[in-house]
């Protein structure tokens, strides 16, 4: 059988790279892809629709050129809370002083500033903590009125125009989608992107609202960055299509010593639910300005891989840093090295959740076990929506997973799933046809050669979502 040499990754954990001013050209985006980026993230906190449309067009052109599916994550901003402006642009707050937050748009001074979010004023109570500028300043509410909060400065420091406000103590009565987000969401859904990053989720209702708007046109990737979301973790993960451990704001609103434990809990919960999970934020932060990471950052990436994350993500490192290519290349090297270690496989096997209690879960678990027993070169999964492939990936087999689908949308979505090599394949017509297409794809994609065995799974009747019920072993001839 003729075999071409396709571009394939030698690791299971995927890499997401954020695009921005440092990575907007076709040349840089292609370099990042070839260095190891499987998915590109567009941050809708910055840039115009025209900017993002241009980057989407570049990615789609690259996809056609390299003949590999590439996922696109559109990360909408969410309800970012900020103070107003100051007369002099900034003030210096001292610990112990009083400071008022009110609704007046008049530029502030050292005694007060605008807080253009009446919902915070209404939700706060005596003793509520307010964190400003990514937690650098800490205020405690001492009195609440209809139009303002009186606070005491607990931790002082410089405060300048439009700095962010975090309220870790209370659930704010604000939706996860702002009007800007809804406009951005309509734009990206028309563009045909694969995943929508939903910011500042607090309640399951936030996820349900976004899914209703997307209506199946994109997977909703819930960003877990609020303590209230962790309180509702199981239900939020159940509703989500994918999950992100967004450690930036999570690290502001939760004590630092809690964040590693929360990360492990989120990854474990998503793994058990069979939902792709991404670990993000500050993974190789020093590479924004340096060509190599700290040893602690390399260990942080390795920890996410050992935990079983489907993907790890670069943010400012590739969007605005001086070394975007080097950052992706370094992350690729770290992930690949960890996955070569015998301890990684031992931990992966030990952490495998119990099979899902249905026939589809049983078939997926059996596919992994059969592949391990016969030392198969690959597991080929046929899927229309991605559900069959997700079930097999949940089992973390020790051979590669071929995700075969007739849907271009599903093929791109599988770019974020652990261990999956997505491939476009024609619709199936029979079990014989399924086996023939599986062994042909395994050979053509460079996973198997003559005489090798491939485990094949699919749902019958073909093309029906959620019906993983067929298992075969095929030999490449």
């Amino acid at each position: 059988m003729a075999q071409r040499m396709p571009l394939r990754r030698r690791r299971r954990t995927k890499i997401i790279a954020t695009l921005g001013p440092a990575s907007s050209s076709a040349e840089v985006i292609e370099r990042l892809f070839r260095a190891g980026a499987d998915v590109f993230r567009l941050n809708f906190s910055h840039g115009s629709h025209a900017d993002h449309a241009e980057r989407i067009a570049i990615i789609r052109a690259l996809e056609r050129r390299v003949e590999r599916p590439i996922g696109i994550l559109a990360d909408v901003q969410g309800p970012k809370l900020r103070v107003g402006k100051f007369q002099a642009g900034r003030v210096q707050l001292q610990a112990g002083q009083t400071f008022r937050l009110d609704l007046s748009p008049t530029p502030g001074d050292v005694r007060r500033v605008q807080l253009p979010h009446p919902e915070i004023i209404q939700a706060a109570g005596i003793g509520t903590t307010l964190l400003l500028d990514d937690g650098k300043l800490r205020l405690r509410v001492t009195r609440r009125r209809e139009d303002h909060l009186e606070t005491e400065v607990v931790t002082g420091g410089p405060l300048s125009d439009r700095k962010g406000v975090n309220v870790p103590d209370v659930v704010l009565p604000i939706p996860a989608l702002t009007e800007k987000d809804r406009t951005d969401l309509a734009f990206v859904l028309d563009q045909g992107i694969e995943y929508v990053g939903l910011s500042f989720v607090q309640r399951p209702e936030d996820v349900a609202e976004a899914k209703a708007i997307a209506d199946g046109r994109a997977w909703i990737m819930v960003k877990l960055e609020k303590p209230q979301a962790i309180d509702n973790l199981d239900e939020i993960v159940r509703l989500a299509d994918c999950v992100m451990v967004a450690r930036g704001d999570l690290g502001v609103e939760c004590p630092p010593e809690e964040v590693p434990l929360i990360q492990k809990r989120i990854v474990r919960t998503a793994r058990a639910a069979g939902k792709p999970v991404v670990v993000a934020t500050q993974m190789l932060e020093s590479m924004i300005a340096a060509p190599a990471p700290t040893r602690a950052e390399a260990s942080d990436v390795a920890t996410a891989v050992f935990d079983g994350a489907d993907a790890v993500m670069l943010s400012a490192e590739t969007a605005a840093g001086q070394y975007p290519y080097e950052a992706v290349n370094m992350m690729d090297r770290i992930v690949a090295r960890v996955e070569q270690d015998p301890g990684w496989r031992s931990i992966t096997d030990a952490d495998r959740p119990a099979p899902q209690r249905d026939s589809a879960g049983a078939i997926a678990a059996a596919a992994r076990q059969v592949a391990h027993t016969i030392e198969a070169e690959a597991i080929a999964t046929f899927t229309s929506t991605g559900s069959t492939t997700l079930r097999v990936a949940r089992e973390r087999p020790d051979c590669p997973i071929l995700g075969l689908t007739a849907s271009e949308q599903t093929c791109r979505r599988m770019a974020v799933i652990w261990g999956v090599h997505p491939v476009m394949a024609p619709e199936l017509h029979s079990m014989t046809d399924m086996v023939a297409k599986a062994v042909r794809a395994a050979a053509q994609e460079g996973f198997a050669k003559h005489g090798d065995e491939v485990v094949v799974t699919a749902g019958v009747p073909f093309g029906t979502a959620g019906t993983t019920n067929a298992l075969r072993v095929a030999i490449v001839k």
Side-chain angles (χ1 to χ4, degrees):
M1 183 178 292
Q3 181 172 315
R4 64 187 181 90
M5 291 302 294
L7 193 155
R8 56 172 284 205
R9 308 298 190 202
R10 301 292 171 174
R11 53 175 160 77
R12 313 298 175 81
T13 308
K14 304 300 182 72
I15 295 174
I16 301 175
T18 302
L19 300 184
S23 50
S24 291
S25 69
E27 293 76 19
V28 173
I29 291 173
E30 179 165 351
R31 286 196 79 206
L32 298 187
F33 172 77
R34 293 191 181 279
D38 302 288
V39 175
F40 288 108
R41 170 177 173 256
L42 308 177
N43 186 356
F44 277 76
S45 295
H46 309 285
S48 66
H49 284 185
D51 294 334
H52 293 304
E54 183 177 353
R55 288 167 190 162
I56 291 170
I58 290 171
I59 294 166
R60 293 305 187 222
L62 171 63
E63 186 180 60
R64 291 189 294 271
R65 192 160 59 252
V66 299
E67 298 182 340
R68 294 296 311 135
I70 303 173
I72 299 177
L73 164 61
D75 198 337
V76 298
Q77 179 174 291
K80 188 67 174 177
L81 309 173
R82 302 179 186 275
V83 298
K85 294 186 175 184
F86 293 92
Q87 294 173 11
R90 61 185 286 144
V91 296
Q92 183 77 25
L93 300 185
Q94 304 295 330
Q97 77 167 84
T98 60
F99 190 68
R100 192 175 78 184
L101 300 164
D102 58 41
L103 298 176
S104 170
T106 305
D109 54 31
V110 75
R111 295 168 299 172
R112 60 154 295 276
V113 75
Q114 181 191 20
L115 181 65
H117 305 288
E119 57 273 15
I120 295 180
I121 295 174
Q122 296 305 312
I126 306 302
T128 294
T129 297
L130 303 178
L131 303 174
L132 309 183
D133 192 10
D134 289 336
K136 296 183 181 71
L137 291 85
R138 181 181 295 262
L139 312 180
R140 184 174 61 84
V141 175
T142 56
R143 191 170 73 166
R144 179 172 68 84
R145 294 291 182 264
E146 286 299 309
D147 61 348
H148 73 273
L149 296 173
E150 294 287 351
T151 74
E152 177 188 358
V153 179
V154 178
T155 304
L159 180 62
S160 55
D161 295 346
R162 304 286 296 153
K163 288 300 182 182
V165 180
N166 293 84
V167 191
D169 297 348
V170 296
V171 177
L172 296 176
I174 53 176
L177 289 170
T178 65
E179 285 305 312
K180 172 184 169 10
D181 296 334
R182 291 173 182 276
T183 301
D184 291 340
L185 196 50
F187 166 75
V188 298
L189 290 172
D190 285 344
Q191 291 282 324
I193 55 85
E194 284 65 60
Y195 331 97
V196 172
L198 188 63
S199 300
F200 300 109
V201 170
Q202 298 185 95
R203 308 159 301 157
E205 293 83 356
D206 297 332
V207 188
E209 180 186 8
K211 289 198 74 170
I213 294 171
D215 193 25
R217 289 181 287 169
W219 276 355
I220 300 300
M221 183 179 289
V222 172
K223 296 171 64 181
L224 295 169
E225 50 197 332
K226 300 282 288 182
Q228 294 78 18
I230 308 307
D231 294 338
N232 297 302
L233 182 61
D234 290 342
E235 183 63 13
I236 286 174
V237 169
R238 187 185 68 80
L239 289 171
D241 297 303
C242 323
V243 177
M244 180 188 293
V245 189
R247 303 180 304 176
D249 277 273
L250 190 63
V252 172
E253 299 208 7
C254 296
E257 67 272 18
E258 294 295 327
V259 174
L261 302 177
I262 293 172
Q263 173 176 316
K264 288 182 180 294
R265 180 183 167 195
I266 293 169
V267 173
R268 189 167 55 247
T269 303
R271 285 280 317 278
K275 305 293 178 74
V277 56
V278 179
V279 175
T281 321
Q282 299 171 338
M283 301 212 79
L284 298 177
E285 183 86 352
S286 65
M287 290 195 74
I288 294 172
T294 66
R295 304 307 175 261
E297 289 168 340
S299 295
D300 182 41
V301 174
T303 295
V305 177
F306 277 117
D307 285 348
D310 287 76
V312 285
M313 192 176 96
L314 294 163
S315 300
E317 299 96 327
T318 53
Q322 298 176 36
Y323 302 96
Y325 169 82
E326 290 81 359
V328 175
N329 178 258
M330 178 57 67
M331 185 165 272
D332 179 81
R333 286 164 53 193
I334 295 168
V335 172
R337 179 63 188 89
V338 170
E339 293 182 0
Q340 291 167 12
D341 187 82
W344 168 76
R345 175 44 67 181
S346 298
I347 291 172
T348 300
D349 290 341
D351 286 347
R352 180 177 297 112
Q356 292 174 318
R357 290 181 170 276
D358 53 28
S359 58
I363 290 289
R368 182 203 64 79
Q369 182 61 60
V370 170
H372 174 75
T373 301
I374 68 174
E375 298 183 342
E377 296 300 321
I379 299 175
T381 64
F382 285 91
T383 185
S384 56
T385 63
S387 62
T388 296
T389 308
L390 279 167
R391 287 190 180 96
V392 173
R394 177 185 181 274
E395 300 301 315
R396 298 297 193 257
D398 46 16
C399 65
I401 304 166
L402 279 172
L404 303 167
T405 182
S407 164
E408 185 176 55
Q409 180 186 59
T410 299
C411 198
R412 289 169 174 162
R413 287 177 180 177
M414 289 191 289
V416 81
I417 305 174
W418 185 97
V420 173
H421 180 84
V423 179
M424 287 291 295
E427 291 279 6
L428 299 178
H429 302 292
S430 66
M431 295 299 290
T432 302
D433 187 37
M434 177 184 81
V435 170
K437 285 184 168 70
V439 296
R440 185 181 305 118
Q444 289 179 341
E445 297 295 315
F447 289 90
K449 60 186 183 301
H450 181 80
D452 288 337
E453 291 181 299
V454 176
V455 175
V456 188
T457 66
V460 181
F462 300 118
T464 304
T467 57
T468 309
N469 57 10
L471 175 62
R472 294 285 189 276
V473 176
I475 299 175
V476 179
K477 297 179 179 179

